[in-house]
């Protein structure tokens, strides 16, 4: 074999995919076979990357939004020389523990920028990466941050609403470094795309302000030229690449079965015949492999130049750049929160207490000066959530802004935040009402699955929403969020716990958090520590001691005897629990109140601590303006619950708390009843 | 006052809205003030409706997709004479228990076709109504079914992904009876729409194949002419109505605050001045009210003619039409399920058992002949979910099809099904993988809130999905669905329970169900009753006795002594529980297996039944390939759980069950350990 042709490079992808899928007995050949030429054009002629330093901060990002086509990525990453993706791993495609999973799973060290699979998420992540790039470039300059984000994308991602949200907002924000590579094969799982779509997709992008090029996706030169044009254009770009699904498999190409019909050794043999590829399974001829490995070194000069520029930075600037990339927090962030907490403890605001979400807004406003990498997205609820304040908007003309008006596009907002977190260098917040978290939930699940430190912020967290009615009143959503693995759900009771929860949220790096705030006022329930005096020292110990960190704690201990009852509550219901405790204590029932801002953290405590907080012999009643589902693990066999058993209703918040019986009187009555049953 | 002008009719809407919002101290004036002329054109010149018979089956449907503007609907429904919407109710806007809620809540008898609030849902519901109309028209003819569906819609609904999904599919399906009335006021909650969108929205609709008219939304004649054109056009229509938000309030109109800034009596006074409306609050001058009430009678001739046509139908056809509208099931549906169940009991398929979802597909195939009103939507997973079989596709050219290729648009599919159910006459199914239910969830919540009998069908319900990996493996989703009020979650263990669960699902009229099926094979776990012999009678009693109906039941009682342990399981894990029981019984531990296909139904049983099933003294271990969250209520203080504590992984299903320890051996070991702790 002489120097391989570009087409032979593409065939190397094809046959690795075919052989691995035949061996695994399942997989999705449609994408790797249909997009082999597109990928070859990208990786051998355009992509800025370095398999020897896969997490190079200024690398171009590549997202395989059609993640079922994972063999495309595994083949590319093997061929270009990512150490983790060895030929052995390719052979282990889809086996348990293999690096080559059925869908790509987040691990930049093996060339996977983001986990993909659920359609539409990937291109929305890519959009978030492009925002993070633009934001960082605005801050640190193009010498340090100057890369593209490419996404492979199929019809499914573009049919999904989240994909449409992305098209609209990316065009609006003129994200010129975002390039989509559309596998326009006119086939989805059901068959012809004509079954479910008849619009001109390219035109839909043009309407949204995108640069669009329509090319033959199997013509490497044409695709490459289109990539050049895309990179020059100030708008985001769609390369609409006409392709043949499963190209090379005579039995399946261009057909519905091309997507993922089972492949057999005979199919592989036939493809070898058809494409003139007389090499054994899993064997890439040396000249072809060499050409691919050479492509894997094409950005070494750029890598060296970038490293030199980074090294030449003034120490302070370099440290700041490195810090944000490492996801480390700057000096002063914790003190800012402690100061807020100290003030809240001192002020003890009751009748004049601000709404829960406004407390979070106040805290975030304080963080503006100390956490410049914080990027806040909000889905058209700026006024009621108030997390903009002194930030200015990120716009097409000014990417230095740190507030993103996402429009009424919650799903995109969540997935965008994931992309920003996966990109690194920024701390994304995504703000909306809790009732609308369901719109974001598929993205939240991906954040939890990937372990991305996204801060999902929610307001209007219960029937406390009031007159807007049950559509806007979460009742099941806390439970639904708490059921999600690797998701911390934080629901603070007052300004003190809010500061503590923000401290937990910012410290937490191994996954997302949901910070859940009431619309209604949250009077201060935490008191300065009883042992303290007015000296600065005790103040500081109160400020530093984050009682929320253990998830649940005794806010008010029973008095006048051994604890007879424990009232557990979160958020806005903690104040109700305290009132119920007053009623019961007045009747001589020694009652403790446990505040439980984070069930997941409480569950992680040792058994002794949990028992001591819950109170071993005490009857236990939980109070939360939400469903009981999930609470029983704290209540024992005879526990009680004061909360919701249905959706809410339209009416004033106070009237709703009465109507649904979430009151101090009801909680006290429940305790009395349980004690009587025991007696 | 002489005969009122059309503009005065519009002002009547405006002032009812202003007065009610001032009185309620909150509300959203932007929509009713901005769309008053559009609504006047629709209700006085085009709408086919009859406030005296609000549920007239062939009425035009009106959806207020921008549901925050509920005062538009309340004003219209008062003015046109819906009995439930009296002036007193208008005065009670947003009070607890008032018919005039903050957002419209589903009640066709008061002119609310669907609950709206979360943006985008309403227009997707309207889309579903238009599908139901087309389907029913294809079946029963235009003499009985021949109406339009109109939706008021704001920018938010069109920014939402679900809205974009709807635009795409409605254009594709050429739903000519669907007319959107877009309140193009260039303002959202954050301010100018230019903050978050710059595309030409009208052009986006044109790309999708819609008829678009751009008109001055305050010119009643122009709007009316556009409505005429829309009704003539065979494509779905967008009336892009340029409007001024909050028109009439000098302080707010055309401004961000027009959306929902608080209104004061002074604002109302100023508006009266500006618009020359010298009438006291809540008072509509008699000639204006008369004109409106007359508009409310404009369809009486059409109503009478329709009634005559319906009454003239042959008895059988009429009964069938009435039956489907009433949501009643036809003769034979239950027997079809019983026959299937009888066969499943007799066959006892073990090694050759079909995949769970294929069992549901088989059952549905049987129902094809007996339930012609069943309409199946599926989000591009026809092959793996297999619920098409003998159905043909609903298309633009053939609306008699009963299978809707929804494309990769789960959210739309769910909301479409809601619209179909709200419309009546059809039984909607929405089919996809359980992992993608999160995409549908906001619509599922609306189905639960409205109490709509939608059948949400899910396949691939656990790590049993296998090599496609954690993105496609639900672990938290069962819990999240079970946490939702008014949602029945059914997860059958085998073909027998599958038939029982479908029986429950079809009987269930007061809310949606989620039918959850494994991808992997479900061997038969139910045995013919021990008391039975081979006579037809006992067979029939087995078939008729729906043991799943109580939610949970003892599938296999403990033997050899009083029950020491109860194993609870659902779906694919029931077979594992039975194997664990074998292990324990062999060791002399009397162990029962409880199958729990529906927790919600079990929770509704009396305490005696529940205790007898759970086993009062027995240690209890639940087995489910999902998270523990929610199970503790059945497990007591010292119960155990065998299931997932994290997301899944990519690998063969069997290997994953081993890896995550969801095995008979693990379940037996957990029982032994708990018994040892007690001893």
């Amino acid at each position: 074999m002489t120097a391989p042709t570009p087409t032979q490079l593409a065939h190397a992808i094809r046959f690795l995919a075919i052989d691995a899928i035949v061996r695994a007995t399942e997989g999705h050949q449609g994408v790797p076979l249909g997009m082999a030429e597109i990928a070859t054009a990208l990786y051998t002629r355009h992509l800025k990357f370095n398999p020897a330093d896969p997490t190079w901060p200024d690398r171009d990002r590549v997202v395989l939004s059609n993640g079922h086509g994972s063999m495309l990525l595994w083949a590319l990453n093997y061929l270009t020389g990512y150490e983790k993706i060895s030929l052995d791993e390719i052979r282990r495609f889809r086996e348990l523990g293999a690096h080559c999973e059925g869908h790509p799973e987040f691990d930049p060290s093996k060339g996977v920028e983001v986990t993909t699979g659920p359609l539409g998420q990937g291109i929305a992540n890519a959009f978030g990466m492009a925002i993070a790039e633009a934001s960082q470039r605005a801050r640190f300059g193009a010498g340090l941050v100057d890369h593209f984000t490419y996404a492979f994308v199929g019809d499914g991602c573009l049919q999904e609403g989240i994909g449409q949200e992305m098209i609209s907002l990316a065009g609006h924000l003129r994200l010129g470094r975002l390039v989509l590579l559309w596998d326009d094969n006119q086939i989805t799982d059901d068959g012809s795309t004509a079954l479910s779509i008849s619009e001109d997709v390219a035109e839909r992008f043009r309407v949204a302000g995108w640069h669009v090029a329509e090319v033959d996706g199997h013509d490497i030169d044409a695709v490459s030229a289109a990539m050049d044009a895309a990179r020059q254009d100030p708008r985001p770009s769609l390369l609409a690449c006409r392709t043949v699904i499963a190209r090379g498999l005579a039995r399946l190409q261009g057909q519905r079965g091309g997507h993922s019909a089972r492949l057999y050794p005979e199919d592989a043999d036939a493809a070898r015949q058809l494409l003139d590829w007389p090499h054994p399974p899993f064997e890439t001829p040396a000249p072809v492999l060499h050409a691919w490995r050479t492509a894997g070194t094409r950005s070494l000069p750029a890598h060296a130049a970038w490293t030199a520029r980074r090294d030449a930075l003034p120490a302070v600037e370099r440290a700041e750049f490195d810090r944000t990339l490492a996801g480390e927090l700057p000096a002063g962030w914790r003190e800012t929160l402690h100061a807020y907490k100290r003030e809240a403890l001192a002020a003890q605001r009751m009748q004049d207490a601000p709404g829960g979400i406004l407390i979070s807004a106040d805290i975030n406003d304080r963080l503006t000066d100390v956490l410049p990498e914080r990027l806040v997205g909000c889905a058209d609820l700026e006024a009621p959530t108030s997390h903009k304040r002194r930030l200015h908007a990120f716009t097409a003309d000014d990417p230095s802004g740190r507030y993103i008006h996402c429009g009424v596009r919650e799903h995109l907002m969540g997935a965008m935040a994931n992309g920003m977190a996966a990109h690194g260098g920024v701390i994304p917040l995504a703000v909306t009402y809790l009732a609308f978290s369901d719109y974001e939930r598929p993205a939240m699940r991906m954040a939890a699955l990937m372990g991305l430190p996204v801060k999902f912020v929610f307001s209007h967290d219960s029937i406390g929403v009031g007159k807007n009615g049950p559509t806007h009143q979460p009742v099941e959503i806390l439970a639904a969020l708490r059921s999600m693995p690797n998701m911390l759900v934080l629901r603070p009771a007052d300004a003190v716990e809010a500061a503590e929860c923000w401290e937990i949220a910012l410290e937490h790096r191994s996954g997302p958090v949901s910070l859940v705030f009431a619309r209604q006022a949250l009077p201060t329930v935490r008191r300065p520590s009883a042992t303290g005096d007015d000296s600065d020292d005790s103040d500081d110990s109160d400020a530093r001691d984050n009682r929320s960190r253990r998830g649940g704690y005794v806010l008010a201990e029973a008095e006048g005897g051994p604890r007879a009852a424990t009232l557990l509550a979160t958020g806005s219901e903690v104040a109700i629990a305290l009132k119920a405790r007053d009623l019961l204590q007045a009747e001589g029932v020694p009652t403790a109140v446990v505040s439980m801002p984070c069930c997941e953290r409480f569950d992680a405590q040792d058994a002794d601590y949990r028992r001591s907080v819950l109170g071993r012999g005490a009857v236990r009643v939980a109070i939360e303006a939400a469903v009981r589902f999930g609470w029983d693990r704290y209540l024992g066999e005879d526990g009680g619950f004061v909360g919701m058993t249905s959706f809410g209703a339209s009416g004033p918040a106070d009237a709703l708390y009465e109507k649904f019986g979430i009151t101090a009187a009801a909680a006290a009555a429940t305790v009395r009843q349980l004690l009587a049953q025991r007696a």
Side-chain angles (χ1 to χ4, degrees), chain A residues 253-467:
Chain A
Q253 67 183 12
Q255 308 292 315
R256 179 182 184 186
H259 179 71
S260 61
R262 173 136 184 214
L263 294 192
Y264 299 91
E266 306 83 84
D267 292 305
D269 294 344
R272 287 189 153 75
Q273 207 73 34
L274 183 69
L275 300 181
D276 188 23
W277 190 260
H279 314 292
F282 294 105
E283 186 175 312
T284 304
V288 173
L289 185 59
H290 177 75
W292 269 114
R293 290 287 154 93
T294 302
T297 63
R298 59 183 299 280
S299 305
L300 287 184
H303 184 265
W306 180 88
T307 306
R309 287 195 300 276
R310 204 265 315 252
D311 293 348
L313 284 178
V316 172
E317 194 180 335
R318 181 178 157 168
E320 179 66 2
F321 181 64
D322 289 351
R323 179 189 71 73
T324 59
L325 282 174
E328 280 159 15
L329 296 167
W333 75 276
R334 203 183 294 275
E335 290 69 22
T336 300
L337 293 176
H338 290 180
Y340 181 89
K341 189 176 157 190
R342 200 179 298 119
E343 293 167 33
L345 274 168
Q348 292 287 320
R349 293 176 72 173
M350 301 300 290
Q351 301 309 323
D352 67 335
I357 188 62
L358 300 182
I359 292 171
S360 176
D362 286 343
I363 291 170
N364 269 272
D365 192 41
R366 303 268 188 117
L367 290 171
T368 295
D369 300 320
V370 285
L371 264 184
E373 66 268 36
R374 203 176 45 109
L375 275 183
V376 181
C378 181
D380 198 48
L381 289 170
E382 185 210 322
T385 59
S386 193
H387 276 55
K388 187 173 182 184
R389 303 278 175 97
R390 288 179 293 146
L391 301 178
H392 68 278
F394 176 104
T395 65
D397 293 325
D398 183 3
S400 75
R402 293 194 255 145
Y403 189 88
I404 302 158
H405 289 277
C406 294
V408 189
R409 304 183 183 99
E410 297 85 2
H411 198 176
L412 173 64
M413 176 175 68
M416 170 190 90
N418 293 351
M420 291 159 65
H423 179 280
V426 299
I427 298 177
L429 276 69
V431 185
T432 186
Y433 288 170
L434 184 60
F436 306 152
S437 69
D438 276 352
Y439 281 66
E440 249 188 307
R441 187 174 169 90
M444 297 173 74
R445 179 176 205 256
M446 295 303 289
L449 180 52
M450 287 188 258
L452 295 174
V454 175
K455 320 304 171 197
F456 296 101
V457 179
F458 299 108
S459 175
H460 291 56
D461 71 354
S462 76
I463 52 168
V465 166
K467 300 177 191 173

Side-chain angles (χ1 to χ4, degrees), chain A residues 97-240:
Chain A
H99 280 311
C100 298
E101 304 103 351
H103 289 78
E105 295 179 28
F106 178 54
D107 181 357
S109 76
K110 67 179 187 190
V112 180
E113 301 291 358
V114 77
T115 301
T116 49
L119 294 176
Q121 298 294 325
I123 50 174
N125 297 157
F127 165 80
M129 291 175 185
I131 292 211
E133 193 268 350
S135 177
Q136 275 211 311
R137 181 155 34 88
R139 186 165 174 216
F140 292 106
L144 290 181
V145 185
D146 186 20
H147 70 78
F148 280 79
T149 301
Y150 299 94
F152 294 94
V153 55
D155 294 289
C157 292
L158 302 181
Q159 290 185 10
E160 290 285 6
I162 185 175
Q164 291 288 319
E165 293 178 358
M166 190 283 292
I167 294 168
S168 181
L169 192 55
H172 174 69
L173 292 176
R174 233 184 298 135
L175 288 173
R177 310 293 180 99
L178 178 62
V179 180
L180 299 194
L181 309 169
W182 174 32
D183 185 19
D184 178 16
N185 59 25
Q186 304 187 340
I187 295 286
T188 69
D189 202 77
D190 275 10
S192 167
T193 50
L195 288 170
S196 58
I197 191 166
S198 43
E199 73 199 53
D200 180 337
V201 171
E203 195 58 27
R204 193 275 172 271
F205 275 86
R206 285 193 194 95
V207 168
W210 287 58
H211 162 71
V212 177
E214 299 181 79
V215 295
D216 174 353
H218 298 297
D219 179 337
I220 294 176
D221 289 336
V223 170
S224 184
M227 284 178 183
D228 271 329
R231 289 155 44 119
Q232 298 306 317
D233 201 284
R235 297 165 293 179
S237 291
L238 172 75
L239 270 57

